[in-house]
Amino acid sequence: MTNYSRDEEILIALSQFVFLYENRFHVLIKKYNNPQRILEAIVDREQFVCSILNSNQITEIIERCSEENIKCYLKNLEALNIICSTYLSDSYPKLLKETPDFPIVLYLKGDISLLKKDSVAIVGTRNPTNYGRGVTHSFSKNLARAGLVIVSGMSTGVDKIAHEACLEVGGKTIAVLGGGFNKIYPAVNYNLSIEISKKGLLVSEYAPSAFPQRYTFPARNRIIAGLSLGTLITEASEKSGSLYTKEYAIDYNRNLYLVPGNITSSMSMANNKMIKSCQGMCVISYEDILNDLGYEGLKKETAIQLGINERMILDIVEKEETHFDVLLSLTNLEPKILNSCLTTMCIRGIIRKLPGNFYSV
């Protein structure tokens, strides 16, 4: 069983109660400073406690935070392979603790050493265009190859692509959830959550049985920004939830990176407007981010060897998504030869095949 201090045990036990969120946890800690003192004040129904919690809430805490129940709760967490890191724990991420509204407790499943490594968040729309998919895949893959941990929120769209691209190249990724580990949302990402728990790290501030709510996702975004040296938005509309992450990154004085997009696309409108108003740094390659961070921990790849035909194809698709027929016309290759080159390049991860027989880097 994981060895927690008495203070850590109390914090973990108290983290079960959703009504303690919305800064109530922080208020109690600021007032009493000591977790044991907090529990004593609740049991004694002190006036200050009664001013922020109602009678039913206090009763629920007292009933569920007996010594026996706390031990039982910790034992159940261990059975689920869940480790907790409180703001008092050595394992708690330093960058996150620097934020004003840091989570009191983090529930963790996977490689907890990732909390101590350099990371970059990648977020964006849940409905990316082919351009957004390609850009997200490329940035995530290359930043992961450079040794950075990729952080995102395991939603559909950009989040999912960022996690998967990172895992494809053997990189490390952290998924921050908006609910408990037993309530994966969206359900379509359940298998992805299992893979990340084995090859990366799942993080949540909510107990395993907590259902995700509308308000928990914006709250989740503060953790994404707080864990990361910088936040990259690859593609976002003006109503994208990733803009919450942007606000947190700015508030926390973290770097904000923005990929420019098609000025006629609504899905790039937020990015282009943020670039225009100088809210973040315009980036056109992953090297821009590495250079800005002064990041030296690069894992240099062996240069990709390309034949004459493959180099000709790459020069074309690097500029924009290109249809097979256009490649035929521009390269003057035989259809069989072109198709063979494209297949080989896709297998090697140099280019990607998109819907409609288009290709991109």
Side-chain angles (χ1 to χ4, degrees):
M1 190 169 183
T2 306
N3 291 320
Y4 298 110
S5 69
R6 177 58 179 165
D7 283 340
E8 288 174 316
E9 289 181 348
I10 292 172
L11 290 174
I12 294 167
L14 291 175
S15 71
Q16 300 174 76
F17 306 101
V18 177
F19 52 76
L20 280 180
Y21 291 91
E22 299 178 359
N23 292 324
R24 287 177 176 173
F25 227 146
H26 276 272
V27 170
L28 288 170
I29 287 170
K30 186 175 181 180
K31 171 68 174 178
Y32 296 106
N33 194 36
N34 183 291
Q36 294 189 64
R37 181 71 188 92
I38 293 174
L39 188 56
E40 289 169 1
I42 292 172
V43 172
D44 293 340
R45 297 179 184 265
E46 292 188 8
Q47 184 177 357
F48 183 80
V49 171
C50 293
S51 71
I52 60 175
L53 298 174
N54 64 44
S55 179
N56 290 337
Q57 291 169 338
I58 293 173
T59 298
E60 185 179 356
I61 292 175
I62 294 172
E63 289 177 351
R64 293 174 61 187
C65 286
S66 66
E67 188 70 25
E68 182 180 352
N69 285 341
I70 290 177
K71 295 297 183 185
C72 182
Y73 183 61
L74 294 174
K75 188 174 181 180
N76 289 338
L77 291 178
E78 186 173 42
L80 294 170
N81 295 316
I82 295 172
I83 295 174
C84 289
S85 179
T86 78
Y87 78 99
L88 298 175
S89 307
D90 292 337
S91 59
Y92 197 89
K94 181 176 179 291
L95 273 180
L96 186 60
K97 196 172 180 179
E98 292 174 357
T99 63
D101 48 1
F102 58 84
I104 303 302
V105 176
L106 294 174
Y107 289 83
L108 309 168
K109 204 168 190 179
D111 183 359
I112 65 172
S113 72
L114 300 185
L115 293 175
K116 299 292 187 179
K117 297 184 178 179
D118 291 342
S119 61
V120 170
I122 300 181
V123 296
T125 177
R126 295 183 183 183
N127 300 291
T129 63
N130 285 339
Y131 170 77
R133 296 175 196 277
V135 165
T136 301
H137 188 277
S138 176
F139 271 85
S140 181
K141 174 183 70 175
N142 286 300
L143 290 172
R145 280 175 170 163
L148 287 165
V149 176
I150 303 302
V151 181
S152 199
M154 213 177 72
S155 290
T156 54
V158 165
D159 287 18
K160 184 177 182 181
I161 295 166
H163 290 306
E164 290 179 337
C166 174
L167 293 171
E168 280 176 21
V169 296
K172 298 298 183 180
T173 188
I174 295 175
V176 185
L177 310 185
F181 295 150
N182 294 343
K183 309 294 180 183
I184 296 298
Y185 180 88
V188 69
N189 282 345
Y190 177 77
N191 288 337
L192 177 59
S193 75
I194 297 298
E195 185 175 7
I196 293 175
S197 71
K198 293 177 180 177
K199 300 178 181 178
L201 179 66
L202 295 179
V203 176
S204 177
E205 66 177 317
Y206 304 107
S209 59
F211 283 95
Q213 305 289 337
R214 184 181 296 272
Y215 68 88
T216 62
F217 292 100
R220 175 264 327 252
N221 292 348
R222 85 187 194 285
I223 302 176
I224 294 174
L227 284 171
S228 309
L229 294 169
T231 292
L232 168 66
I233 301 179
T234 54
E235 187 178 50
S237 69
E238 292 186 280
K239 295 183 178 180
S240 173
S242 62
L243 301 187
Y244 286 106
T245 314
K246 179 262 295 188
E247 293 295 339
Y248 285 120
I250 293 173
D251 288 346
Y252 299 159
N253 198 30
R254 305 292 167 79
N255 299 344
L256 178 64
Y257 305 112
L258 304 163
V259 178
N262 186 333
I263 62 172
T264 65
S265 171
S266 62
M267 300 312 299
S268 289
M269 194 62 69
N271 279 48
N272 291 335
K273 284 190 173 182
M274 286 187 286
I275 291 170
K276 182 180 178 181
S277 59
C278 300
Q279 293 185 52
M281 176 181 173
C282 177
V283 295
I284 59 174
S285 72
Y286 74 95
E287 289 97 339
D288 291 338
I289 296 176
L290 295 177
N291 291 336
D292 185 59
L293 292 174
Y295 192 73
E296 298 177 354
L298 302 183
K299 298 177 179 176
K300 297 293 185 182
E301 289 186 278
T302 303
I304 297 175
Q305 299 298 316
L306 298 175
I308 296 175
N309 291 340
E310 291 175 328
R311 171 51 61 186
M312 183 166 49
I313 293 168
L314 185 59
D315 287 343
I316 295 170
V317 299
E318 275 184 329
K319 297 174 184 176
E320 61 180 347
E321 298 169 10
T322 310
H323 193 272
F324 181 87
D325 293 341
V326 176
L327 285 170
L328 267 180
S329 175
L330 293 176
T331 61
N332 289 317
L333 294 172
E334 293 292 326
K336 267 189 180 180
I337 295 175
L338 175 60
N339 192 57
S340 175
C341 289
L342 291 172
T343 300
T344 300
M345 292 172 75
C346 285
I347 291 172
R348 294 174 65 189
I350 300 167
I351 63 172
R352 303 176 70 215
K353 185 174 183 180
L354 303 172
N357 216 14
F358 282 85
Y359 293 85
S360 75
V361 292

